[in-house]
Amino acid sequence: VTIGFAPTVIAEQLISMEWPQDAKLRVLLTGADTLHRRPQANLPFVLVNNYGPTEYTVVATSGVVTNSGAGRPSIGRAVRNTRIFLAHAELNAVADGEDGEICIAGAGLARGYRGSAEMTKTRFFAQSMNGVDERMYRTGDLGRVLPDGEIEFCGRADDQVKIRGYRVELGDVTTALLNCAGVAQGVTVSRELPTGGRQLVSYVAALPGARLTDAAL
């Protein structure tokens, strides 16, 4: 294998391993979750971090990750035939260095959500951004442009999280818990693991006299 792709949680393990200098691997691409680690200085291959939602089929930005630098690795720059706009909630462009919602336009944009016109209307829209009329997709992700022109991923604008590459709505998990017999209150949070990646943790309070079991929850 000379060029490979690994999900973020596995790529972070691969770049932490000791590799022989004559390894055949030249490029390791990763994506689907937030990259928290940088590669070691002596790796015999290049690490490329990719970002993009399914609605943009599927990579919107890409960039080589260096072994030095402050903060988490960036998600690179827009790929060919793709345009990235960072916008306020009112869909006005943000100032340089300011956080904004990542909006994507370009050749890879989906038509919408099949059978869900209302959801399509809330996420796909036409807007004049920087003097250009574009049809765009609101990702719900936040980002900011770094001094070198690359984009830093800054988290979510809502409570959606990524767990091993899957989109999870924390509110949906909490609602399911509240529908369990004997549960009075509940909340679900996402926690970052020391080894990389994230896990879901739910807390519940029982109704007076109720006995909750792990199996039921």
Side-chain angles (χ1 to χ4, degrees), residues 165-188:
Y166 290 93
R167 301 182 193 182
V168 177
E169 299 285 353
L170 299 181
D172 289 350
V173 180
T174 299
T175 297
L177 284 171
L178 295 177
N179 288 331
C180 291
V183 173
Q185 295 180 333
V187 65
T188 302

Side-chain angles (χ1 to χ4, degrees), residues 68-114:
S68 62
R72 69 177 59 164
S74 79
I75 57 174
R77 306 169 188 265
V79 300
R80 187 178 302 174
N81 296 324
T82 300
R83 289 163 295 285
I84 301 293
F85 302 95
L86 302 183
H88 293 294
E90 301 79 15
L91 298 179
N92 299 316
V94 303
D96 289 345
E98 186 179 359
D99 290 4
E101 183 174 0
I102 300 175
C103 300
I104 309 175
L109 192 62
R111 297 177 182 177
Y113 297 107
R114 183 177 182 182

Side-chain angles (χ1 to χ4, degrees), residues 135-158:
R135 180 172 176 272
M136 290 185 279
Y137 169 71
R138 300 183 64 169
T139 65
D141 294 329
L142 298 176
R144 70 182 181 96
V145 178
L146 299 172
D148 62 2
E150 295 194 347
I151 300 171
E152 178 185 12
F153 179 81
C154 300
R156 288 288 299 177
D158 54 23

